[in-house]
Amino acid sequence: MTAQHLNLGFLASRNGSSARAVIAAIESGRLDASARLVVSNNRTSPLLAFAEAHAIPTQCIATQADPEAADARLSEALQAAGVELVVLSGYLRQLGPKVLSAYRNRVLNIHPGPLPRFGGHGMYGRHVHEAVIAAGVAESGACILVVDEEYDHGPVIARHAVPVETGDTAQMLEARVTAAEPGFFVQTLQRIAQGELTLPG
């Protein structure tokens, strides 16, 4: 496997914790990558201001009024910026066909629970942790997966286990999984850049 420089684009609706961690890793030299573009569907996303403060190009592309036009704009913006791999960091919209076609097997998302059991439509945020606790399983954790047309359906390329402890509430489990996610995303991108982990296709 060959090491490679990653040209990254980031999509976020809110704070973008994983994106911030990845950008910090790039700036510190821990990740061989470039942050080419940050896009949000939310004008008040704190990640847009963060990116601007770090001299990273930004765009706000609203998706609700005209999803098809937004899909086309997003695909064009990512390609124009030279993005080769897209990182979702709390992006609360499903991607459209133009983006998914242009970036087939090149969009990564992180899910806060074991897949495929705790994924699918409606399984996000606290809902995932509530389901994990209710199921009585001994282990939860984060999964990084390749995004396709269905929620949480694409191949999982990396898993990070987080034990479910005795007496855990969904809120307690969520806090531990959420704390682990940014570093795990950085580690996974490092493995891709170093040629240790290969994406499908």
Side-chain angles (χ1 to χ4, degrees), residues 41 53 89 122 126 132-133 145-146 151 172-174 176 192:
N41 60 311
S89 185
R126 183 70 56 81
V132 168
I133 295 291
L145 68 150
V146 176
Y151 285 112
M172 293 161 65
L173 179 59
E174 180 180 41
R176 293 204 310 282
I192 294 170

Side-chain angles (χ1 to χ4, degrees), residues 7-138:
N7 290 313
L8 302 176
F10 301 89
L11 306 185
S13 294
R14 296 175 182 165
N15 198 48
S17 298
S18 290
R20 291 170 185 253
V22 172
I23 291 165
I26 293 170
E27 292 177 342
S28 68
R30 292 180 291 122
L31 176 62
D32 183 13
S34 301
R36 305 302 294 261
L37 182 66
V38 169
V39 179
S40 182
N41 60 311
N42 173 16
R43 291 193 180 280
T44 62
S45 166
L47 186 63
L48 292 177
F50 175 88
E52 290 167 1
H54 289 254
I56 301 167
T58 64
Q59 286 200 35
C60 180
I61 300 177
T63 56
Q64 286 182 306
D66 190 341
E68 288 186 12
D71 177 34
R73 281 187 62 201
L74 180 55
S75 178
E76 291 164 6
L78 291 167
Q79 293 178 78
V83 170
E84 295 171 347
L85 182 63
V86 180
V87 171
L88 303 190
S89 185
Y91 187 65
L92 305 179
R93 289 289 181 268
Q94 192 165 20
L95 294 177
K98 285 188 166 55
V99 171
L100 289 173
S101 175
Y103 289 93
R104 178 68 57 191
N105 296 325
R106 294 296 178 269
V107 181
L108 299 181
N109 191 27
I110 192 163
H111 183 75
L115 291 174
R117 182 173 179 182
F118 298 100
H121 188 69
M123 290 295 279
Y124 60 90
R126 183 70 56 81
H127 300 292
V128 176
H129 307 291
E130 290 170 346
V132 168
I133 295 291
V137 297

